[in-house]
Structures are given as C-alpha cells and as structure tokens.
Amino acid sequence: MSRLESMRRRLTAQIDGINWAAGQIEELEGDVLELGLGNGRTYDHLREVLPGKRIWVIDREMNAHPSCVPPAENFLQGDADRMLMQMARSGTKLALVHYELGIGVAEKDAAKSRAMSPLIAPLMVPGGLVISQDPLEGFERIAGPETVAADRYLFYRV
Ligand SMILES: C[S@@+](CC[C@H](N)C(=O)[O-])C[C@H]1O[C@@H](n2cnc3c(N)ncnc32)[C@H](O)[C@@H]1O
C-alpha cells in the first residue's frame, strides 16, 4: 500500500470513527477533548458533528488553519502531560477524547500514547470513549464502526 493510499485509509477511519463516537456519547454528560490540534482537521470535524459540546484542545503549538483555531478559552497550549494534569485539577470531565499526538513513527507514538493513558483516565466520565490510532492502556477496547478495520483505529470505553 502506498503512503497516499495509507493516508486515505487513515482519513476515512478518522471520519467514520469520529462520526460513530459522536453518536455514542451525545447523551453523556461531559466535554470533548482534541488531543493534538495540528492543522485542525479533526478538531473541525468534531465541532461539526458535536455542536452542543464544549471541545477542549491541547497542543504545544498553534499551527492550525485560520478557520480551525479554537476559542482561546478552550485552547490549552503546552505539553500534553502538564495540560492534562491542569484539567484534572480544575475538575473537567470528558465524554470523548480524540487522541492524535503521534508523528507517524509507530514505536515512538505507542510509547507516548501509553504514557498519556493514566493522565487521561481520571478525566473521563463512566461510559466515555477514547479514540486513537495509537494504543492506550487501562481502558476497555471495544469494536468501532464496521467500516473501520480493527487495526487501523482503536476505540476504548471507560
Ligand atoms: C498529527 S498532529 C495532529 C493532527 C490533527 N489532529 C489534525 O487533524 O490536523 C500532532 C500534534 O500533536 C502535537 N503534540 C505532539 N506531542 C505533544 C505533546 N507532548 N504535548 C502537546 N502537543 C503535542 C504536535 O504539536 C502536533 O500539532
């Protein structure tokens, strides 16, 4: 599979995965967290499918497309571990986390996502979802939408 085809597969998995997760958590109390703003593509999709939810965003940099810059009060700029601890101290509760802090190097990305897991867990409401292309620990892995291959995107319930 070429990198271009792999990218198409990832984008499709993200769209289908976010759409599916949004339907699952709509009725849950709790906010949403975009962990890794980047260009803002997945943030833009989250806000489109979950217009009633507050969407927090963490990134150490602001490199989003101008149309995808989150409101200042929802953007936590800094290292993810420090920002997640800050959210826990302020009592934020999350129904959905979309995790994308990776750089596309599988081993490094997996080590990072595993290390972030215990910082995400205390923020989640019961029944909340974490979705990611990198593996997390301490959550129950569940099946996502049928259109997404099991190894392409990972779905976890709290
Ligand atoms: C792959 S990009 C996210 C792509 C984005 N979801 C999109 O759709 O455009 C990963 C982002 O995570 C951020 N990042 C990586 N490690 C981080 C860390 N430890 N703390 C904060 N931000 C981090 C990078 O600055 C980068 O913007």
Side-chain angles (χ1 to χ4, degrees):
M1 183 187 299
S2 71
R3 289 191 61 213
L4 188 61
E5 287 168 322
S6 170
M7 185 178 181
R8 178 175 61 183
R9 207 166 154 244
R10 175 168 61 81
L11 295 178
T12 302
Q14 283 185 322
I15 294 168
D16 290 0
I18 289 173
N19 290 349
W20 177 85
Q24 302 278 313
I25 61 97
E26 236 170 357
E27 304 297 322
L28 283 185
E29 292 288 322
D31 300 338
V32 173
L33 171 63
E34 167 74 326
L35 202 35
L37 175 64
N39 183 273
R41 290 188 191 96
T42 47
Y43 166 68
D44 190 35
H45 196 69
L46 282 167
R47 70 182 174 178
E48 196 169 296
V49 296
L50 288 166
K53 288 281 188 195
R54 182 171 190 175
I55 304 178
W56 296 92
V57 179
I58 292 177
D59 204 300
R60 54 163 71 113
E61 293 165 5
M62 168 47 74
N63 286 323
H65 185 275
S67 67
C68 301
V69 174
E73 65 272 22
N74 293 349
F75 181 50
L76 303 174
Q77 184 162 9
D79 280 328
D81 45 5
R82 205 161 44 83
M83 294 299 123
L84 288 166
M85 285 187 258
Q86 184 179 307
M87 290 182 93
R89 280 196 300 275
S90 63
T92 307
K93 285 293 170 194
L94 300 172
L96 173 64
V97 173
H98 174 246
Y99 177 98
E100 196 180 9
L101 293 179
I103 52 169
V105 180
E107 254 176 46
K108 283 189 179 173
D109 291 346
K112 186 190 276 192
S113 54
R114 290 200 171 98
M116 291 291 166
S117 301
L119 299 175
I120 296 171
L123 298 170
M124 303 301 298
V125 300
L129 296 180
V130 182
I131 69 171
S132 167
Q133 57 185 337
D134 298 315
L136 287 115
E137 281 176 353
F139 305 106
E140 180 198 356
R141 179 135 176 231
I142 57 169
E146 282 177 3
T147 52
V148 178
D151 61 332
R152 191 67 197 80
Y153 230 71
L154 306 171
F155 299 83
Y156 299 94
R157 198 183 300 279
V158 179

